[in-house]
Amino acid sequence: MTSLASSRRAGLSVVDAVAMLVGVVIGVGIFGLPPLVAQHASSAELYLALWLVGGLVMLIGALCYGELGAAHPDQGGEYHYLSLAWGPQIGLLFAWARGTVIQTGAIAVVAFIYGDYAQRLLPLGDYGSAWHAALVVVALTLLNVLGTRESRRAQLFFTSVTVLALLLVVLAGLVLAEPQPNTASAAPASGNLAAMLGMGMVFVLLTYGGWNEAAYLSGELRNPARNMSRVLLIGTALVTAIYLLANLVFLNIFGLDGLRQSDAVAADLMNIVAGPRAEVMLAAFVCLTALSTLNATLFTGARVYYALGRDVPQLAFIGRWNERGATPVRALLLQCALTLPLILFGALTANGVQTMVAYTAPVFWLFMFLVALALIRLRRRQPWVRRPFSVPLYPLTPILFALTCLGLFYSSTLYAGSGALLGLLVLGAGLPLLILQRPQAVEQDEHAE
């Protein structure tokens, strides 16, 4: 199979690839999710340990994705790996899950984080965060429908704003703020401790989200057999160090109990150290950061619907490409239509961000479990395939990643309640689609490899 990735000229240096990986991972989550992690940790030490373990899980997962991306480069990413390993029907089910749960849920999470900060700038009443979330999703969808080139160019600017805002928070916390006593309420009951920590790890890894994009770097990296491990190790170390530093500052300023009670941690910190004007400035920075994440997520998410329409004749109506705007207009509009009810659902709950994570996480980790096992299955089924980068300590590494994913699936399903149930029900609603895909198609893909 000749793919776009394999036809490109490898031109990324280690520095280039590390910069891209760090830029993808560090996003708006660090401004919205630490309070939710704090609610699932009984002490400051345990809170920091969750972030450190999250970095290790990120590294293990990225190593597995690095091998899959190097051996089977394709625009479809997980969709392609799952189809090769488990058959096109599983690939189709993943595409359904990504389109209706994983990607739309992720869009809603970021939209609610945006809404929490936008509400600081322009209050819109009791449901102001949800109104802001819905409006920004509609606005950016329309921007992508237009196919505006400026929206893609703005991504570099938005990424720079993200890093600048995070550095501003960290420096302000280190230099200007007075430490608060780091007291915490009693630990959860022992019977619930594992589930609490598991759900805390779900929020941590959502903040680390984007490490799976390492699969798409391998096709353009110079000498991937030698450099892929360097990129993953350096990138993971940098992201983990930045996140640990940021969270040390949060703990230093708020204490664990104070951190649990914040709904916009960065803005609250700036209000403490420099007053309301700094809070407003940082809220605007975080909103710009969220716009960056949302725009990229909307852009890439719509391509899943387009791929479905391209691969499944019965869904061809969503696979039409608008040549004038160079964009899948129908796919974008469908994605928006599926996201808005999720924002409404989140608005009717106590915490929109937490509800959307609960909706998304079980389905996401279920398919990550299958991706981890896909690495082992493809090694056995296709030993002749060239692997420019091989995961170290095989098969321990993919097995450890698979067990981690399975544990996170269990924790998020058990603890997350109605949101998790809804996500799994939507996944189940996609099962009838499997009759649209022919099982023998995977054989063609295997021979094409």
Side-chain angles (χ1 to χ4, degrees), residues 14 45 49 63 80 88 147 194 222 241 260 284 286 304 325 342 377 391 404:
V14 171
E45 293 78 13
L63 289 170
H80 182 62
R222 299 172 192 163
R260 290 169 177 166
V286 175
V304 175
L342 293 182
R377 184 171 174 85
V391 64
T404 301

Side-chain angles (χ1 to χ4, degrees), residues 112-372:
F112 270 113
I113 294 175
Y114 168 87
D116 287 341
Y117 280 89
Q119 180 75 348
R120 298 288 186 101
L121 301 174
L122 180 63
L124 294 180
D126 293 339
Y127 296 99
S129 293
W131 277 112
H132 279 294
L135 290 171
V136 76
V137 168
V138 171
L140 289 178
T141 296
L142 293 177
L143 180 64
N144 278 274
V145 164
L146 293 175
T148 311
R149 292 182 179 179
E150 285 75 12
S151 67
R152 288 181 293 175
R153 294 173 180 172
Q155 287 299 125
L156 180 59
F157 166 74
F158 285 140
T159 299
S160 301
V161 168
T162 302
V163 176
L164 178 62
L166 186 55
L167 289 176
L168 181 63
V169 169
V170 170
L171 289 174
L174 289 174
V175 176
L176 300 176
E178 295 184 5
Q180 298 296 317
N182 213 340
T183 58
S185 55
S190 58
N192 296 326
L193 181 59
M196 291 284 287
L197 292 178
M199 197 59 197
M201 185 58 63
V202 168
F203 291 117
V204 167
L205 289 172
L206 183 63
T207 314
Y208 278 104
W211 50 261
N212 52 329
E213 297 299 317
Y216 304 99
L217 297 178
S218 57
E220 298 182 72
L221 185 65
R222 299 172 192 163
N223 195 353
R226 183 187 68 181
N227 290 334
M228 195 66 195
S229 58
R230 296 180 181 180
V231 170
L232 296 173
L233 287 168
I234 296 171
T236 300
L238 284 174
V239 171
T240 304
I242 291 171
Y243 277 179
L244 283 174
L245 181 60
N247 281 288
L248 279 169
V249 170
F250 294 156
L251 286 174
N252 187 53
I253 302 307
F254 296 102
L256 190 61
D257 278 335
L259 184 57
R260 290 169 177 166
Q261 297 166 15
S262 175
D263 61 356
V265 61
D268 288 342
L269 187 151
M270 293 304 292
N271 187 33
I272 291 172
V273 301
R277 290 185 180 180
E279 175 190 356
V280 169
M281 181 181 70
L282 191 72
F285 266 119
V286 175
C287 286
L288 287 173
T289 299
L291 290 176
S292 169
T293 305
L294 274 173
N295 189 56
T297 309
L298 287 165
F299 182 90
T300 57
R303 271 62 185 171
V304 175
Y305 303 95
Y306 170 74
L308 271 178
R310 179 197 62 193
D311 295 343
V312 181
Q314 294 88 338
L315 301 177
F317 68 96
I318 61 172
R320 295 185 182 178
W321 191 267
N322 184 286
E323 296 294 341
R324 182 177 179 181
T327 187
V329 172
R330 292 188 179 184
L332 284 162
L333 295 176
L334 176 61
Q335 179 176 250
C336 181
L338 291 173
T339 303
L340 292 178
L342 293 182
I343 292 176
L344 174 61
F345 175 62
L348 299 176
T349 64
N351 187 304
V353 173
Q354 191 163 358
T355 300
M356 287 302 98
V357 173
Y359 172 75
T360 305
V363 176
F364 173 80
W365 289 112
L366 176 62
F367 280 102
M368 288 303 97
F369 170 70
L370 293 177
V371 170

